[in-house]
Every structure is written in C-alpha cells, then in structure tokens.
Amino acid sequence: MKNIAIIGAGQLGSRHLQALAKINEDVNLYIVDPSEQSLAISQQRFEEVNLSNKKLICTQKITDLPKTLEFIVISTNSKQRLGVLKVLFAHADVKYLLLEKFLFPSIYEYSEAASILEKKSSKVFVNCARRMWLSYQKLKENLDTTSKIQLNVTGVNWNLASNAIHFLDLFLYLINEKEAIIDTSLLENELMENKRPGYIEFAGTLTITTQNGHKLILTSNKAGEEPMMITISSLSQYFEIDEVNQRMMLNGQKHDFPMYYQSELTNRVYEQLQQTGHCQLVEYEEAMKEHLLLLNAFNEFLGEREGAIT
C-alpha cells in the first residue's frame, strides 16, 4: 500500500489533507506536526470529508514516517521548510514532493535545497495552484498574445509579498515566458506585519515586465473596501476577473469563472502523478527561478532592514 504524508498541519495543511481524503484508492495517510492541537484540528477536518473510511495516522515527528513515501506535501511556513526538507530526505525516499510557497525566505537556502534535491530522484513541484484551474487554462487557450499583455491585480491588504509569487507564476504561464524585470520603486517604504508572526508584508505597487513588453502590475492598498480584482488587457481583449464571486467579463460579456479551493486540488495533483508521472503545477527548477526573481527584488528594496516572506 502506498504511503502519503503531509508535513505541517496548519490551515493549509488541513486543506491538503481534506483533498487527499478523496483519493479513490487505499493508501496509508500520515500527517506530521509538533502541535497536538493542530493534529487534533486536522483529524476533525479529515473526518468531515472521509467518506471512504480511510485511516489517518497523526505523528509529531518526521522520523516516524515510513522509509518509502509515494507522495508528500510540505506545508510548513517558509522559515521551517529547509530544515524539514533535510530531515525528510535523510530519513526517507520520496517519489513525488509538493512544496508550498513561499519556498524559502533566504537566498542561500535555494542553493542548499537544490543540492539536496539533485542527489535524489524525487520529482518536485511547487503549489502555485492557479495553473490547475480550468478557468485559467481556458483563458490561456483564448488569450491573444500577439500584442502586449498587461495583467493587473488590485485590492486591499491582500498580502502582496507572500502572494506575489502566485500571480508571477500565473502571468508567466499565461504568456509563455520565463524571464522578467521587477520594479519595486512604487512599494510603500513602511513595512507591514503578516498575519503569521515573524513575517512581513508590503503595500503599494510592484511592476514586473518581460523582454517582450508584457506587464504584471500588483497593487495592494492599505485602506479601502474594494475586493481584489484581476484584469488582463491587450489591443483586442479585456478580461475582468472576480475570483471570489467566480465570474469574468470578456469584452463586456459575462462568463462563469469557477475557482478551486485547496481541498479540491491536491487529490488531482496526486491522481495526475499516478497516471502520467507529471502534473499541471510548476516544477521546482522553474519555480525556484521565479522565487529568486522576487526575493532578490524584495531584498534590494529592504536594504539593511530585515524581513522574511511566508
């Protein structure tokens, strides 16, 4: 029987767990977290969706996991992730690994992680999940990239620092490019606290431009009540996307735009990997370049100030 595990039983970890409870095969399912309270909450959320009577094994130590793992999700905060990766690969062989973003908060950790992963045969993916939304896949099929594209994300306190990677990955996916230049000059100088203690956030505007002149403009305002809106414009098309209300306007015509929660996605990742050995998420090497692009820009903006992205 295949062994599947989640390391990190926080809010996101428990949603990964709810998705994996839907897998239509018998598996050994594990969740790891040092907090007994977090494990108890995960157990409760697991039971809410466990229609096939799977058994969940809760443990506080990575070294309690089996030595062979088919699929594992690391959903800890970024500061913990490299240490978890080291312990995991010293303990077990992993076939497929899914890492949460923001991958790591320090530049040097990316080379350390790359060194660890190069020695293993694991296939590693990063959970920038909008690539898996059918809505964005269909949009990509119909997007006219023969003229310059501008993608805008605007809203209030939407955690620009920690969530920029999602939209950078989506943007590069939609326009089929991999390189860009980041301008932080319109970020507000005052740093904000993230909802997770020990991490920072930014307000203001981040502008990202590709070699072909396509632009991604991310704006997070400190005050206001307007919901997050996404627009994509070119000479021939204008998309206005409201993810929360699951609707899109294309050149004035209304369309449904279904969004997907994590509890509906991780099982699809697993199933795709079982069927093809691949999935629709970005692979680690490409995701690492995207993360470093942002992290280098953020570090330059911070200067002597310290702050970590989660």
Side-chain angles (χ1 to χ4, degrees), residues 131 165 168-169 172 286-294:
R131 286 180 180 238
I165 187 62
L168 174 60
D169 182 73
L172 296 177
E286 185 177 342
M288 177 180 69
K289 292 176 182 176
E290 295 173 357
H291 278 73
L292 287 172
L293 192 67
L294 281 172

Side-chain angles (χ1 to χ4, degrees), residues 78 81 99-105 110 126 284 287-288 291:
S78 63
R81 191 162 293 121
L99 296 172
E100 270 299 339
K101 63 84 201 166
F102 202 84
L103 281 171
F104 311 103
Y110 289 84
V126 177
Y284 177 81
M288 177 180 69
H291 278 73

